[in-house]
């Protein structure tokens, strides 16, 4: 008999049906996380990405999310003024956040503030501030969103895995096990542009997330 296995990570993307850009942003995230890049995490076709936008029959909000369907669950909420102007959707989002907090390290809500209306939920500190990327082209916004979410997904998964290794530790104490990811940047001595490119990569990796990465770069011994 073959034992059923749950996916390690499932990403849910929710947006209000009246948010015009919701489907396009969700599609960009779907196409990124379903790539072969994530086969080592999910196998086969990349990570599972599930939409939550269309209300279920006889309801004004989407069906609920069953955390038991995966080892870990990440809920990305694209919150805009339409969402905030719709009381049932506000209630749905808040209930999801409460359930997530109670479920532990394997689940987390990742709010995205599409506009300033999202700040009314009191989620400013943990929200990805799409609304702050004024004057940035749409494709660049999507790249920034993917980068921020990927970083946060990694932190969630690292915390979850450390919990499995240290089940008796309090949640706050797990931070001590989350060591910085160390990168070694190398290039050929015969490459006239190697050092410049390696430095640019290092600067780019540290930009905005300098507390999450440690790197070793020895100019004199590469």
């Amino acid at each position: 008999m073959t034992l059923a296995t749950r996916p390690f990570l499932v990403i849910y993307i929710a947006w209000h049906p009246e948010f015009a850009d919701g489907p396009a942003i969700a599609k960009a995230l779907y196409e990124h996380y379903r790539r072969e890049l994530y086969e080592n995490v999910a196998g086969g076709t990349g990570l599972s990405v599930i939409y939550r936008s269309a209300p279920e029959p006889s309801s004004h909000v989407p069906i609920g999310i069953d955390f038991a369907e995966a080892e870990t669950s990440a809920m990305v909420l694209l919150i805009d003024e339409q969402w905030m102007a719709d009381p049932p959707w506000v209630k749905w989002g808040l209930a999801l956040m409460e359930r997530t907090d109670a479920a532990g390290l394997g689940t987390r809500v990742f709010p995205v503030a599409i506009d300033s209306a999202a700040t009314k939920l009191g989620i400013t500190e943990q929200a990805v501030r799409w609304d702050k990327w004024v004057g940035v082209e749409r494709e660049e916004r999507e790249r920034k969103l993917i980068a921020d979410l990927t970083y946060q997904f990694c932190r969630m998964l690292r915390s979850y895995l450390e919990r499995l290794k240290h089940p008796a530790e309090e949640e706050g104490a797990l931070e001590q096990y989350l060591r910085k990811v160390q990168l070694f940047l190398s290039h050929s001595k015969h490459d006239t542009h190697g050092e410049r490119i390696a430095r640019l990569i290092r600067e780019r990796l540290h930009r905005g997330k300098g507390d999450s990465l440690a790197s070793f770069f020895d100019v004199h011994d590469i």
Side-chain angles (χ1 to χ4, degrees):
M1 182 178 67
T2 303
L3 296 176
T5 58
R6 299 188 299 175
F8 181 60
L9 171 64
V10 172
I11 300 171
Y12 293 88
I13 306 173
W15 71 94
H16 194 278
E18 293 183 10
F19 174 36
D21 291 335
I25 297 174
K27 183 179 179 182
L29 296 174
Y30 178 93
E31 291 179 345
H32 177 80
Y33 291 112
R34 293 291 286 181
R35 295 186 304 161
E36 293 182 358
L37 172 67
Y38 294 96
E39 285 186 1
N40 289 337
V41 176
T45 56
L47 298 173
S48 295
V49 180
I50 300 174
Y51 294 161
R52 284 291 189 273
S53 180
E56 62 177 333
S58 70
S59 176
H60 193 64
V61 295
I63 60 174
I65 295 174
D66 184 358
F67 298 154
E69 292 183 352
E71 292 293 329
T72 60
S73 302
M75 281 65 66
V76 179
L77 310 186
L78 307 179
I79 304 175
D80 73 322
E81 59 184 357
Q82 283 85 3
W83 185 312
M84 292 304 302
D86 195 329
W89 270 80
V90 172
K91 183 178 179 180
W92 185 85
L94 290 174
L96 181 61
M97 293 178 189
E98 291 177 1
R99 287 182 55 221
T100 300
D101 289 341
L105 296 175
T107 61
R108 186 175 169 190
V109 168
F110 299 90
V112 180
I114 299 298
D115 52 48
S116 59
T119 60
K120 297 177 183 178
L121 280 181
I123 56 172
T124 304
E125 290 186 3
Q126 65 265 40
V128 177
R129 298 302 300 271
W130 176 284
D131 61 320
K132 294 294 187 180
W133 300 332
V134 179
V136 179
E137 294 292 333
R138 171 65 171 274
E139 290 186 359
E140 179 60 21
R141 281 188 174 193
E142 291 175 352
R143 283 193 289 269
K144 288 171 66 68
L145 176 60
I146 289 170
D148 282 1
L149 289 176
T150 301
Y151 168 72
Q152 295 297 336
F153 292 167
C154 289
R155 284 194 59 82
M156 180 188 77
L157 295 177
R158 291 178 68 197
S159 297
Y160 174 75
L161 292 173
E162 290 302 332
R163 163 63 71 207
L164 297 181
K165 295 178 183 178
H166 308 279
E169 294 281 4
E170 294 184 0
E171 185 171 329
L174 292 176
E175 290 291 329
Q176 65 180 310
Y177 302 107
L178 301 183
R179 300 174 182 175
K180 294 182 178 181
V181 175
Q182 292 188 326
L183 305 175
F184 175 71
L185 304 176
S186 179
H187 66 86
S188 170
K189 294 180 180 179
H190 305 291
D191 184 352
T192 56
H193 299 290
E195 182 177 328
R196 179 181 63 83
I197 294 173
R199 287 188 180 279
L200 288 173
I201 292 173
R202 183 176 187 269
E203 291 173 4
R204 180 66 182 87
L205 290 172
H206 280 258
R207 189 182 307 162
K209 295 289 187 293
D211 60 343
S212 62
L213 294 170
S215 60
F216 173 76
F217 184 82
D218 188 342
V219 176
H220 305 292
D221 188 19
I222 295 181

